[in-house]
Amino acid sequence: MSVSVQHEDFDAGRECRALLDGRSDVGAVASFIGVVRGDGGKQGVSAMTLEHYPGMTEKSLEEIVAQARQRWPAVSGVRVIHRVGRLQVGDQIVFVGVAGGHRGEAFAACEFIMDYLKTRAPFWKKEETPAGARWVDARDSDDAAAARWQP
Amino acid sequence: MKIRIKYFAGLREAVGRGEEEFEVAGEECSVAAVRDQLVAGGVSALAELRNLRAAVNQSMAGPDAAVRDGDEVAFFPPVTGG
């Protein structure tokens, strides 16, 4: 199973090692971990809740992984884990691991998956701050990051 | 025709419910027509949200996408995961 949406935390080391299981053609594993950031100051975020669209979220992540594998056929394995529910500052949110023969496709596919996940996968963050809870606004810079991959 | 409507995130809170059954006249219409009829039926939050996004049967859909009997139509703000 290459995609998971779950409340539980994950072990990035174990996930990376699993991408090597039974393979001798892997020369590189690139990984990304997204973490709940406390922005500090008066408006500091203390925690957040992640909502998703059960069914569609998993499907959209699988489509993004399929696109990455089509784009970089030398990629041998992909693992995506995204947590949902209430998370504290410092908690891990998302893991993307990509294994390939060489670092080029592993780095590129990992970044592609994150850029597409940020703009296409149905997740929504609600931050808790001293001033109250607020839904996070989508950022234009995320759209720009995803648009870089268009032909 | 009867369709299932879903709302997510801030829109779900503004509407006050996560999903509902909705009766639409005819055998096919657009996502925009579903939205307009929901707004006319009192779901004013749908008219107020900037950058409204939609999905039909769990695939992203534009305002012109077709909606048929039994479909699941979801409305939500732009996504903010990762």
Side-chain angles (χ1 to χ4, degrees), chain B residues 13-82:
Chain B
E13 290 183 344
V15 173
R17 54 190 175 272
E19 58 181 283
E20 59 186 318
E21 296 282 341
F22 191 62
E23 192 77 42
V24 186
E27 291 183 353
E28 184 180 319
C29 69
S30 66
V31 167
V34 172
R35 181 202 55 206
D36 291 347
Q37 291 189 46
L38 283 164
V39 171
V43 189
S44 55
L46 268 180
E48 289 153 15
L49 183 70
R50 284 183 307 131
N51 300 320
L52 180 69
R53 299 286 194 271
V56 175
N57 297 330
Q58 307 196 347
S59 289
M60 292 288 186
D64 298 331
V67 177
R68 297 180 185 89
D69 186 47
D71 281 354
E72 178 175 296
V73 181
F75 292 101
F76 42 82
V79 303
T80 56

Side-chain angles (χ1 to χ4, degrees), chain A residues 1-5 55-69 78 80 121:
Chain A
M1 184 176 42
S2 68
V3 164
S4 300
V5 178
M56 180 174 170
T57 303
E58 292 83 351
K59 196 176 96 168
S60 71
L61 291 176
E62 278 159 14
E63 284 167 6
I64 291 165
V65 169
Q67 284 179 52
R69 298 195 73 136
V78 177
V80 177

